[in-house]
Amino acid sequence: MILQYLLDYFDLKSWLIFLFVFFLLIDIIRNKNPPNFPPGPWWLPFVGNVFTGLEYETIDKLSKKYGDVFSLRFGSEKTVFICGYKMVKEALVTQQDSFSDRPLIPLFDKIYEGHTLSLSNGYLWKVQRKFFITHLRHFGEAKKGLERSIQQECAFLCEAFKEEKGPFDPQFYLNTAVSNIISALIFGHRFDYHDERFLNILRLDTEAIALAGSFQAHLYNVFPRLFDYIPGPHQKIFTNYGKIIEFLKDEVKRHKENWDPSDPRDYIDAFLVEMEKKKSDPEAGFNLDTLVLTSLDMFEAGTETLTSTLRWALLFLMKYPEIQKKVQAEIDRVIGQSRQPSLADRPNMPYTDAVIHEIQRMGNIAPLGLPRRACKDTTLGGYFITKGTSIFTNLSSVLCDKNEWETPDTFNPGHFLDEQGQFRKRDAFLPFSAGKRVCLGEQLARMELFLFLSFLLQRFTFSPGPGEELSLKGQVGFTNTPRPYRICAIPR
Ligand code: HEM
């Protein structure tokens, strides 16, 4: 009877109003926060705070209003943001068992389908992480092989800089140089700086990472089913990754052709050996898909991060020439001009070490880290966070926390020096994050930053190209990168 009444008396307009109110009520009921959930701004029905975006500067502003633990709603997903050293440390270290999972990120899930270390959870993540650590050690750190291959790459990079007679943009040289270190680990060889096929892969990768930080990519993550059918930058990301994956598949194929299980040359060979051993344990993920996608993962993690950091480094050194001179003076005193820098020099170069740390602090290349997920119901900062909630730890707010740093917004290597001019560690230095899912490449990254910068400053003085305005304002995408600039590398 009620239905008959509705059909008789409702015209189209009334029906539309009725349906809107009906779905609105469902949306409100379904998305009601549990008691004591972290506060946050009002959200729009159906879409939540999707237009707030994910830029770390916006997140910083919101934390001033709502506190160090607050929430936003993207579509129907609740996301909690954790800010400031005290709260971030509590989440990443003290309560690491509550926040060590990754949420599903539709954009990356479409590419990786869970077959990768940095985005997986549970047993697969544990086994792959252990394998990664063992083999990074085996092929690099323990054998000193990695140090030698970085030194060799530094020499190639210096040669390439020397050949440039006028001002130039160093981005692609730096990008090729650091990706060659990862290439040596994964593929067992490096690529020439003029290898067009490889340069194209790097261009595709840089473009995909920049697009992954775009607003459309954010929309894709919130409404994946809808945006799958809509053209836009997110589709370009998939095309680019498709091409990179083809390139990696070729490398794996070549390895399989001349593979000797008794003498693994690199990560791919070692993975092929493990695939044989773990045939009876499919849950561990030792298969060809995971191999290709883990290669992509390592390539991603180790290339863009270091390229951006080295680009920030040259930018800060040009902006503060007196600091550049002091690093060069330390290099001249400890290493001189007749031999190449080595890792053994690092403990004797506290000023250079402090400058590198300050570059990482101010460069702030992963402002929100990688997303985490609450693996159980938990309480943080007095708020209740439900199992399954996505979490962002605002690393940027830690690196600039006013309670931790003397001059948080100023480039000041003194942050990392004691009164005697010796290097001092700082607890709030967390560019690599912390806890169970801390960056796996931290040691490798620190080795590369020290060697690349020591080699470059031993051989060159850097200044901006004529008329070049140096901006310290980053371009925030998936990472925080400097804007393009041109340099003059003047041989010393
Ligand atoms: C300056 C350079 C780098 C920075 C600032 C950096 C920063 C980070 C950050 C913030 C995370 C997220 C950790 C978390 O969830 O809390 C991460 C994860 C990761 N990084 Fe790095 N990274 C750098 C270089 C590298 C390199 C060279 C590699 C090695 C190939 C690497 C491999 C990884 C991996 C595999 C993960 C995922 C770990 C996991 O989920 O268990 N990173 N990195």
PDB file of all heavy atoms in Angstrom, residues 92 102 117-118 125 129 132 182 298 301-302 305-306 309 360 365-366 369-370 372 395 431-434 437-441 444-445, ligand 1:
ATOM      1  N   LEU A  92      55.224   4.967  15.464  1.00  0.00           N
ATOM      2  CA  LEU A  92      56.142   4.137  14.669  1.00  0.00           C
ATOM      3  C   LEU A  92      56.999   3.204  15.513  1.00  0.00           C
ATOM      4  O   LEU A  92      57.390   2.134  15.045  1.00  0.00           O
ATOM      5  CB  LEU A  92      57.075   5.030  13.836  1.00  0.00           C
ATOM      6  CG  LEU A  92      56.445   5.828  12.705  1.00  0.00           C
ATOM      7  CD1 LEU A  92      57.494   6.699  12.024  1.00  0.00           C
ATOM      8  CD2 LEU A  92      55.819   4.902  11.662  1.00  0.00           C
ATOM      9  N   ARG A 102      50.438  -2.153   5.682  1.00  0.00           N
ATOM     10  CA  ARG A 102      50.146  -1.151   4.636  1.00  0.00           C
ATOM     11  C   ARG A 102      48.680  -1.281   4.239  1.00  0.00           C
ATOM     12  O   ARG A 102      48.158  -2.401   4.148  1.00  0.00           O
ATOM     13  CB  ARG A 102      50.972  -1.420   3.376  1.00  0.00           C
ATOM     14  CG  ARG A 102      52.442  -1.298   3.575  1.00  0.00           C
ATOM     15  CD  ARG A 102      52.963   0.062   3.151  1.00  0.00           C
ATOM     16  NE  ARG A 102      54.407   0.082   3.277  1.00  0.00           N
ATOM     17  CZ  ARG A 102      55.073   0.858   4.110  1.00  0.00           C
ATOM     18  NH1 ARG A 102      54.445   1.707   4.887  1.00  0.00           N
ATOM     19  NH2 ARG A 102      56.384   0.819   4.163  1.00  0.00           N
ATOM     20  N   LEU A 117      57.373  -6.165  -1.928  1.00  0.00           N
ATOM     21  CA  LEU A 117      57.761  -6.024  -0.534  1.00  0.00           C
ATOM     22  C   LEU A 117      57.139  -4.799   0.136  1.00  0.00           C
ATOM     23  O   LEU A 117      56.453  -4.914   1.151  1.00  0.00           O
ATOM     24  CB  LEU A 117      59.281  -5.904  -0.537  1.00  0.00           C
ATOM     25  CG  LEU A 117      60.096  -6.033   0.711  1.00  0.00           C
ATOM     26  CD1 LEU A 117      61.553  -6.166   0.331  1.00  0.00           C
ATOM     27  CD2 LEU A 117      59.894  -4.961   1.707  1.00  0.00           C
ATOM     28  N   SER A 118      57.337  -3.620  -0.479  1.00  0.00           N
ATOM     29  CA  SER A 118      56.999  -2.415   0.277  1.00  0.00           C
ATOM     30  C   SER A 118      55.491  -2.195   0.434  1.00  0.00           C
ATOM     31  O   SER A 118      55.086  -1.403   1.261  1.00  0.00           O
ATOM     32  CB  SER A 118      57.659  -1.183  -0.335  1.00  0.00           C
ATOM     33  OG  SER A 118      57.279  -1.066  -1.648  1.00  0.00           O
ATOM     34  N   TRP A 125      55.380 -10.373   3.154  1.00  0.00           N
ATOM     35  CA  TRP A 125      56.223  -9.215   3.473  1.00  0.00           C
ATOM     36  C   TRP A 125      57.427  -9.655   4.326  1.00  0.00           C
ATOM     37  O   TRP A 125      58.563  -9.281   4.046  1.00  0.00           O
ATOM     38  CB  TRP A 125      55.407  -8.140   4.203  1.00  0.00           C
ATOM     39  CG  TRP A 125      56.270  -7.081   4.831  1.00  0.00           C
ATOM     40  CD1 TRP A 125      56.998  -6.135   4.175  1.00  0.00           C
ATOM     41  CD2 TRP A 125      56.540  -6.899   6.224  1.00  0.00           C
ATOM     42  NE1 TRP A 125      57.698  -5.360   5.068  1.00  0.00           N
ATOM     43  CE2 TRP A 125      57.438  -5.796   6.335  1.00  0.00           C
ATOM     44  CE3 TRP A 125      56.112  -7.533   7.387  1.00  0.00           C
ATOM     45  CZ2 TRP A 125      57.908  -5.338   7.572  1.00  0.00           C
ATOM     46  CZ3 TRP A 125      56.578  -7.064   8.608  1.00  0.00           C
ATOM     47  CH2 TRP A 125      57.465  -5.994   8.699  1.00  0.00           C
ATOM     48  N   ARG A 129      61.162  -9.360   2.961  1.00  0.00           N
ATOM     49  CA  ARG A 129      62.003  -8.357   3.630  1.00  0.00           C
ATOM     50  C   ARG A 129      63.303  -9.018   4.090  1.00  0.00           C
ATOM     51  O   ARG A 129      64.386  -8.468   3.939  1.00  0.00           O
ATOM     52  CB  ARG A 129      61.239  -7.732   4.811  1.00  0.00           C
ATOM     53  CG  ARG A 129      61.949  -6.500   5.381  1.00  0.00           C
ATOM     54  CD  ARG A 129      61.078  -5.741   6.364  1.00  0.00           C
ATOM     55  NE  ARG A 129      61.910  -4.873   7.178  1.00  0.00           N
ATOM     56  CZ  ARG A 129      61.944  -3.543   7.093  1.00  0.00           C
ATOM     57  NH1 ARG A 129      61.194  -2.915   6.250  1.00  0.00           N
ATOM     58  NH2 ARG A 129      62.735  -2.833   7.865  1.00  0.00           N
ATOM     59  N   PHE A 132      65.507  -9.674   1.103  1.00  0.00           N
ATOM     60  CA  PHE A 132      66.073  -8.402   0.627  1.00  0.00           C
ATOM     61  C   PHE A 132      67.286  -8.006   1.478  1.00  0.00           C
ATOM     62  O   PHE A 132      68.353  -7.685   0.960  1.00  0.00           O
ATOM     63  CB  PHE A 132      64.980  -7.328   0.713  1.00  0.00           C
ATOM     64  CG  PHE A 132      65.382  -5.969   0.208  1.00  0.00           C
ATOM     65  CD1 PHE A 132      65.014  -5.557  -1.059  1.00  0.00           C
ATOM     66  CD2 PHE A 132      66.104  -5.084   1.005  1.00  0.00           C
ATOM     67  CE1 PHE A 132      65.363  -4.300  -1.537  1.00  0.00           C
ATOM     68  CE2 PHE A 132      66.459  -3.825   0.545  1.00  0.00           C
ATOM     69  CZ  PHE A 132      66.077  -3.439  -0.726  1.00  0.00           C
ATOM     70  N   ILE A 182      71.604   0.781  -8.121  1.00  0.00           N
ATOM     71  CA  ILE A 182      70.552  -0.226  -7.948  1.00  0.00           C
ATOM     72  C   ILE A 182      70.640  -1.252  -9.075  1.00  0.00           C
ATOM     73  O   ILE A 182      70.495  -2.461  -8.853  1.00  0.00           O
ATOM     74  CB  ILE A 182      69.162   0.469  -7.960  1.00  0.00           C
ATOM     75  CG1 ILE A 182      68.972   1.252  -6.670  1.00  0.00           C
ATOM     76  CG2 ILE A 182      68.024  -0.512  -8.124  1.00  0.00           C
ATOM     77  CD1 ILE A 182      68.795   0.380  -5.443  1.00  0.00           C
ATOM     78  N   MET A 298      62.387  -1.987  -5.964  1.00  0.00           N
ATOM     79  CA  MET A 298      63.726  -1.560  -5.542  1.00  0.00           C
ATOM     80  C   MET A 298      64.202  -0.385  -6.388  1.00  0.00           C
ATOM     81  O   MET A 298      64.816   0.555  -5.909  1.00  0.00           O
ATOM     82  CB  MET A 298      64.727  -2.714  -5.707  1.00  0.00           C
ATOM     83  CG  MET A 298      64.661  -3.715  -4.603  1.00  0.00           C
ATOM     84  SD  MET A 298      65.728  -5.108  -4.951  1.00  0.00           S
ATOM     85  CE  MET A 298      67.360  -4.478  -4.613  1.00  0.00           C
ATOM     86  N   ALA A 301      62.224   2.642  -5.260  1.00  0.00           N
ATOM     87  CA  ALA A 301      62.599   3.120  -3.927  1.00  0.00           C
ATOM     88  C   ALA A 301      63.990   3.736  -3.943  1.00  0.00           C
ATOM     89  O   ALA A 301      64.247   4.722  -3.257  1.00  0.00           O
ATOM     90  CB  ALA A 301      62.559   1.950  -2.943  1.00  0.00           C
ATOM     91  N   GLY A 302      64.889   3.173  -4.745  1.00  0.00           N
ATOM     92  CA  GLY A 302      66.290   3.590  -4.658  1.00  0.00           C
ATOM     93  C   GLY A 302      66.693   4.648  -5.656  1.00  0.00           C
ATOM     94  O   GLY A 302      67.814   5.156  -5.590  1.00  0.00           O
ATOM     95  N   THR A 305      64.203   8.711  -4.878  1.00  0.00           N
ATOM     96  CA  THR A 305      64.522   9.281  -3.567  1.00  0.00           C
ATOM     97  C   THR A 305      65.930   9.898  -3.561  1.00  0.00           C
ATOM     98  O   THR A 305      66.122  11.023  -3.121  1.00  0.00           O
ATOM     99  CB  THR A 305      64.501   8.172  -2.492  1.00  0.00           C
ATOM    100  OG1 THR A 305      65.239   7.058  -2.991  1.00  0.00           O
ATOM    101  CG2 THR A 305      63.105   7.755  -2.138  1.00  0.00           C
ATOM    102  N   LEU A 306      66.888   9.129  -4.096  1.00  0.00           N
ATOM    103  CA  LEU A 306      68.268   9.618  -4.050  1.00  0.00           C
ATOM    104  C   LEU A 306      68.513  10.729  -5.062  1.00  0.00           C
ATOM    105  O   LEU A 306      69.270  11.659  -4.794  1.00  0.00           O
ATOM    106  CB  LEU A 306      69.240   8.456  -4.273  1.00  0.00           C
ATOM    107  CG  LEU A 306      69.470   7.666  -2.989  1.00  0.00           C
ATOM    108  CD1 LEU A 306      70.075   6.316  -3.258  1.00  0.00           C
ATOM    109  CD2 LEU A 306      70.366   8.456  -2.036  1.00  0.00           C
ATOM    110  N   THR A 309      67.236  13.820  -3.461  1.00  0.00           N
ATOM    111  CA  THR A 309      68.099  14.293  -2.366  1.00  0.00           C
ATOM    112  C   THR A 309      69.367  14.944  -2.928  1.00  0.00           C
ATOM    113  O   THR A 309      69.795  16.005  -2.455  1.00  0.00           O
ATOM    114  CB  THR A 309      68.464  13.129  -1.423  1.00  0.00           C
ATOM    115  OG1 THR A 309      67.277  12.429  -1.074  1.00  0.00           O
ATOM    116  CG2 THR A 309      69.139  13.629  -0.155  1.00  0.00           C
ATOM    117  N   GLN A 360      69.064  16.438   4.055  1.00  0.00           N
ATOM    118  CA  GLN A 360      67.929  15.493   4.122  1.00  0.00           C
ATOM    119  C   GLN A 360      66.784  16.051   4.961  1.00  0.00           C
ATOM    120  O   GLN A 360      65.622  15.849   4.654  1.00  0.00           O
ATOM    121  CB  GLN A 360      68.388  14.162   4.699  1.00  0.00           C
ATOM    122  CG  GLN A 360      69.156  13.326   3.699  1.00  0.00           C
ATOM    123  CD  GLN A 360      69.095  11.861   4.079  1.00  0.00           C
ATOM    124  OE1 GLN A 360      69.963  11.375   4.781  1.00  0.00           O
ATOM    125  NE2 GLN A 360      68.071  11.168   3.630  1.00  0.00           N
ATOM    126  N   ILE A 365      62.149  14.787   1.468  1.00  0.00           N
ATOM    127  CA  ILE A 365      61.652  14.266   0.186  1.00  0.00           C
ATOM    128  C   ILE A 365      60.449  13.324   0.306  1.00  0.00           C
ATOM    129  O   ILE A 365      59.765  13.079  -0.667  1.00  0.00           O
ATOM    130  CB  ILE A 365      62.775  13.564  -0.608  1.00  0.00           C
ATOM    131  CG1 ILE A 365      63.308  12.380   0.185  1.00  0.00           C
ATOM    132  CG2 ILE A 365      63.873  14.511  -1.024  1.00  0.00           C
ATOM    133  CD1 ILE A 365      63.690  11.281  -0.716  1.00  0.00           C
ATOM    134  N   ALA A 366      60.240  12.750   1.490  1.00  0.00           N
ATOM    135  CA  ALA A 366      59.045  11.894   1.643  1.00  0.00           C
ATOM    136  C   ALA A 366      58.199  12.458   2.776  1.00  0.00           C
ATOM    137  O   ALA A 366      58.121  11.896   3.870  1.00  0.00           O
ATOM    138  CB  ALA A 366      59.463  10.459   1.946  1.00  0.00           C
ATOM    139  N   GLY A 369      55.816  10.128   4.353  1.00  0.00           N
ATOM    140  CA  GLY A 369      56.278   8.738   4.398  1.00  0.00           C
ATOM    141  C   GLY A 369      55.467   7.870   3.450  1.00  0.00           C
ATOM    142  O   GLY A 369      54.963   8.350   2.429  1.00  0.00           O
ATOM    143  N   LEU A 370      55.350   6.605   3.766  1.00  0.00           N
ATOM    144  CA  LEU A 370      54.456   5.715   3.014  1.00  0.00           C
ATOM    145  C   LEU A 370      53.284   5.394   3.942  1.00  0.00           C
ATOM    146  O   LEU A 370      53.478   5.259   5.146  1.00  0.00           O
ATOM    147  CB  LEU A 370      55.167   4.410   2.651  1.00  0.00           C
ATOM    148  CG  LEU A 370      56.098   4.417   1.439  1.00  0.00           C
ATOM    149  CD1 LEU A 370      56.679   3.024   1.215  1.00  0.00           C
ATOM    150  CD2 LEU A 370      55.375   4.876   0.185  1.00  0.00           C
ATOM    151  N   ARG A 372      50.477   3.720   6.252  1.00  0.00           N
ATOM    152  CA  ARG A 372      50.387   2.524   7.096  1.00  0.00           C
ATOM    153  C   ARG A 372      48.916   2.227   7.339  1.00  0.00           C
ATOM    154  O   ARG A 372      48.042   3.032   6.995  1.00  0.00           O
ATOM    155  CB  ARG A 372      51.062   2.779   8.448  1.00  0.00           C
ATOM    156  CG  ARG A 372      52.518   3.219   8.395  1.00  0.00           C
ATOM    157  CD  ARG A 372      53.424   2.047   8.182  1.00  0.00           C
ATOM    158  NE  ARG A 372      54.822   2.393   8.389  1.00  0.00           N
ATOM    159  CZ  ARG A 372      55.510   2.141   9.503  1.00  0.00           C
ATOM    160  NH1 ARG A 372      54.909   1.583  10.538  1.00  0.00           N
ATOM    161  NH2 ARG A 372      56.790   2.449   9.591  1.00  0.00           N
ATOM    162  N   LEU A 395      56.126  12.902   8.396  1.00  0.00           N
ATOM    163  CA  LEU A 395      57.568  12.971   8.706  1.00  0.00           C
ATOM    164  C   LEU A 395      58.067  14.411   8.597  1.00  0.00           C
ATOM    165  O   LEU A 395      58.981  14.821   9.303  1.00  0.00           O
ATOM    166  CB  LEU A 395      58.359  12.067   7.754  1.00  0.00           C
ATOM    167  CG  LEU A 395      58.021  10.574   7.809  1.00  0.00           C
ATOM    168  CD1 LEU A 395      58.896   9.789   6.838  1.00  0.00           C
ATOM    169  CD2 LEU A 395      58.186  10.009   9.222  1.00  0.00           C
ATOM    170  N   PRO A 431      64.049  10.940   8.304  1.00  0.00           N
ATOM    171  CA  PRO A 431      63.641  10.942   6.885  1.00  0.00           C
ATOM    172  C   PRO A 431      63.382   9.539   6.359  1.00  0.00           C
ATOM    173  O   PRO A 431      62.673   9.364   5.370  1.00  0.00           O
ATOM    174  CB  PRO A 431      64.834  11.576   6.165  1.00  0.00           C
ATOM    175  CG  PRO A 431      65.991  11.342   7.062  1.00  0.00           C
ATOM    176  CD  PRO A 431      65.450  11.351   8.458  1.00  0.00           C
ATOM    177  N   PHE A 432      63.985   8.529   7.025  1.00  0.00           N
ATOM    178  CA  PHE A 432      63.793   7.141   6.580  1.00  0.00           C
ATOM    179  C   PHE A 432      62.681   6.459   7.380  1.00  0.00           C
ATOM    180  O   PHE A 432      62.529   5.244   7.318  1.00  0.00           O
ATOM    181  CB  PHE A 432      65.090   6.341   6.756  1.00  0.00           C
ATOM    182  CG  PHE A 432      66.251   6.872   5.946  1.00  0.00           C
ATOM    183  CD1 PHE A 432      67.234   7.667   6.534  1.00  0.00           C
ATOM    184  CD2 PHE A 432      66.345   6.588   4.600  1.00  0.00           C
ATOM    185  CE1 PHE A 432      68.295   8.157   5.785  1.00  0.00           C
ATOM    186  CE2 PHE A 432      67.401   7.071   3.842  1.00  0.00           C
ATOM    187  CZ  PHE A 432      68.384   7.864   4.440  1.00  0.00           C
ATOM    188  N   SER A 433      61.958   7.254   8.181  1.00  0.00           N
ATOM    189  CA  SER A 433      60.912   6.734   9.056  1.00  0.00           C
ATOM    190  C   SER A 433      61.546   5.893  10.175  1.00  0.00           C
ATOM    191  O   SER A 433      62.748   6.023  10.438  1.00  0.00           O
ATOM    192  CB  SER A 433      59.902   5.942   8.221  1.00  0.00           C
ATOM    193  OG  SER A 433      58.814   5.579   9.008  1.00  0.00           O
ATOM    194  N   ALA A 434      60.775   5.023  10.806  1.00  0.00           N
ATOM    195  CA  ALA A 434      61.299   4.240  11.934  1.00  0.00           C
ATOM    196  C   ALA A 434      60.406   3.034  12.167  1.00  0.00           C
ATOM    197  O   ALA A 434      59.329   2.926  11.578  1.00  0.00           O
ATOM    198  CB  ALA A 434      61.335   5.115  13.198  1.00  0.00           C
ATOM    199  N   ARG A 437      58.724  -1.011   9.720  1.00  0.00           N
ATOM    200  CA  ARG A 437      58.738  -0.861   8.269  1.00  0.00           C
ATOM    201  C   ARG A 437      59.702   0.239   7.849  1.00  0.00           C
ATOM    202  O   ARG A 437      59.587   0.800   6.751  1.00  0.00           O
ATOM    203  CB  ARG A 437      57.335  -0.570   7.765  1.00  0.00           C
ATOM    204  CG  ARG A 437      56.439  -1.760   7.981  1.00  0.00           C
ATOM    205  CD  ARG A 437      55.365  -1.882   6.995  1.00  0.00           C
ATOM    206  NE  ARG A 437      55.732  -2.424   5.727  1.00  0.00           N
ATOM    207  CZ  ARG A 437      55.003  -3.332   5.058  1.00  0.00           C
ATOM    208  NH1 ARG A 437      53.916  -3.808   5.562  1.00  0.00           N
ATOM    209  NH2 ARG A 437      55.372  -3.746   3.873  1.00  0.00           N
ATOM    210  N   VAL A 438      60.679   0.516   8.700  1.00  0.00           N
ATOM    211  CA  VAL A 438      61.670   1.546   8.370  1.00  0.00           C
ATOM    212  C   VAL A 438      62.275   1.241   7.005  1.00  0.00           C
ATOM    213  O   VAL A 438      62.348   0.077   6.583  1.00  0.00           O
ATOM    214  CB  VAL A 438      62.757   1.594   9.488  1.00  0.00           C
ATOM    215  CG1 VAL A 438      63.541   0.309   9.558  1.00  0.00           C
ATOM    216  CG2 VAL A 438      63.679   2.778   9.305  1.00  0.00           C
ATOM    217  N   CYS A 439      62.706   2.298   6.297  1.00  0.00           N
ATOM    218  CA  CYS A 439      63.291   2.146   4.960  1.00  0.00           C
ATOM    219  C   CYS A 439      64.397   1.086   4.979  1.00  0.00           C
ATOM    220  O   CYS A 439      65.278   1.112   5.826  1.00  0.00           O
ATOM    221  CB  CYS A 439      63.871   3.484   4.537  1.00  0.00           C
ATOM    222  SG  CYS A 439      64.830   3.391   3.044  1.00  0.00           S
ATOM    223  N   LEU A 440      64.361   0.203   3.983  1.00  0.00           N
ATOM    224  CA  LEU A 440      65.370  -0.856   3.924  1.00  0.00           C
ATOM    225  C   LEU A 440      66.653  -0.381   3.252  1.00  0.00           C
ATOM    226  O   LEU A 440      67.652  -1.082   3.284  1.00  0.00           O
ATOM    227  CB  LEU A 440      64.803  -2.036   3.129  1.00  0.00           C
ATOM    228  CG  LEU A 440      63.974  -3.006   3.936  1.00  0.00           C
ATOM    229  CD1 LEU A 440      63.434  -4.103   3.055  1.00  0.00           C
ATOM    230  CD2 LEU A 440      64.847  -3.622   5.015  1.00  0.00           C
ATOM    231  N   GLY A 441      66.574   0.772   2.602  1.00  0.00           N
ATOM    232  CA  GLY A 441      67.751   1.226   1.870  1.00  0.00           C
ATOM    233  C   GLY A 441      68.529   2.286   2.619  1.00  0.00           C
ATOM    234  O   GLY A 441      69.397   2.947   2.039  1.00  0.00           O
ATOM    235  N   LEU A 444      72.361   1.973   2.441  1.00  0.00           N
ATOM    236  CA  LEU A 444      72.788   2.177   1.055  1.00  0.00           C
ATOM    237  C   LEU A 444      72.671   3.658   0.680  1.00  0.00           C
ATOM    238  O   LEU A 444      73.591   4.253   0.095  1.00  0.00           O
ATOM    239  CB  LEU A 444      71.909   1.315   0.134  1.00  0.00           C
ATOM    240  CG  LEU A 444      72.038   1.551  -1.363  1.00  0.00           C
ATOM    241  CD1 LEU A 444      73.462   1.295  -1.833  1.00  0.00           C
ATOM    242  CD2 LEU A 444      71.082   0.645  -2.140  1.00  0.00           C
ATOM    243  N   ALA A 445      71.547   4.279   1.055  1.00  0.00           N
ATOM    244  CA  ALA A 445      71.326   5.688   0.724  1.00  0.00           C
ATOM    245  C   ALA A 445      72.390   6.563   1.384  1.00  0.00           C
ATOM    246  O   ALA A 445      72.945   7.472   0.760  1.00  0.00           O
ATOM    247  CB  ALA A 445      69.932   6.116   1.178  1.00  0.00           C
TER     248      ALA A 445
HETATM  249  C1  HEM B   1      67.302   9.317   0.556  1.00  0.00           C
HETATM  250  C2  HEM B   1      66.861   8.142   0.255  1.00  0.00           C
HETATM  251  C3  HEM B   1      65.654   7.453   0.830  1.00  0.00           C
HETATM  252  C4  HEM B   1      64.673   7.929   1.667  1.00  0.00           C
HETATM  253  C5  HEM B   1      64.538   9.324   2.269  1.00  0.00           C
HETATM  254  C6  HEM B   1      63.755   6.835   1.901  1.00  0.00           C
HETATM  255  C7  HEM B   1      62.624   6.923   2.706  1.00  0.00           C
HETATM  256  C8  HEM B   1      61.739   5.873   2.915  1.00  0.00           C
HETATM  257  C9  HEM B   1      60.529   5.986   3.694  1.00  0.00           C
HETATM  258  C10 HEM B   1      60.048   7.238   4.416  1.00  0.00           C
HETATM  259  C11 HEM B   1      59.926   4.764   3.692  1.00  0.00           C
HETATM  260  C12 HEM B   1      58.608   4.389   4.363  1.00  0.00           C
HETATM  261  C13 HEM B   1      58.860   3.645   5.639  1.00  0.00           C
HETATM  262  C14 HEM B   1      57.596   3.502   6.485  1.00  0.00           C
HETATM  263  O1  HEM B   1      56.593   2.951   6.054  1.00  0.00           O
HETATM  264  O2  HEM B   1      57.608   3.958   7.621  1.00  0.00           O
HETATM  265  C15 HEM B   1      60.757   3.876   2.889  1.00  0.00           C
HETATM  266  C16 HEM B   1      60.476   2.536   2.662  1.00  0.00           C
HETATM  267  C17 HEM B   1      61.276   1.707   1.899  1.00  0.00           C
HETATM  268  N1  HEM B   1      62.474   2.034   1.292  1.00  0.00           N
HETATM  269 FE1  HEM B   1      63.378   3.844   1.320  1.00  0.00          FE
HETATM  270  N2  HEM B   1      64.189   5.738   1.226  1.00  0.00           N
HETATM  271  C18 HEM B   1      65.352   6.057   0.556  1.00  0.00           C
HETATM  272  C19 HEM B   1      66.120   5.226  -0.228  1.00  0.00           C
HETATM  273  C20 HEM B   1      65.915   3.880  -0.411  1.00  0.00           C
HETATM  274  C21 HEM B   1      66.794   2.992  -1.134  1.00  0.00           C
HETATM  275  C22 HEM B   1      68.131   3.377  -1.761  1.00  0.00           C
HETATM  276  C23 HEM B   1      66.224   1.751  -1.099  1.00  0.00           C
HETATM  277  C24 HEM B   1      66.790   0.463  -1.649  1.00  0.00           C
HETATM  278  C25 HEM B   1      66.694  -0.039  -2.691  1.00  0.00           C
HETATM  279  C26 HEM B   1      64.980   1.858  -0.354  1.00  0.00           C
HETATM  280  C27 HEM B   1      64.108   0.822  -0.105  1.00  0.00           C
HETATM  281  C28 HEM B   1      62.940   0.924   0.630  1.00  0.00           C
HETATM  282  C29 HEM B   1      62.012  -0.177   0.812  1.00  0.00           C
HETATM  283  C30 HEM B   1      62.152  -1.580   0.245  1.00  0.00           C
HETATM  284  C31 HEM B   1      60.969   0.309   1.623  1.00  0.00           C
HETATM  285  C32 HEM B   1      59.739  -0.452   2.116  1.00  0.00           C
HETATM  286  C33 HEM B   1      60.020  -1.142   3.455  1.00  0.00           C
HETATM  287  C34 HEM B   1      58.838  -1.975   3.942  1.00  0.00           C
HETATM  288  O3  HEM B   1      57.699  -1.714   3.583  1.00  0.00           O
HETATM  289  O4  HEM B   1      59.090  -2.915   4.709  1.00  0.00           O
HETATM  290  N3  HEM B   1      64.826   3.161   0.055  1.00  0.00           N
HETATM  291  N4  HEM B   1      61.857   4.581   2.435  1.00  0.00           N
END
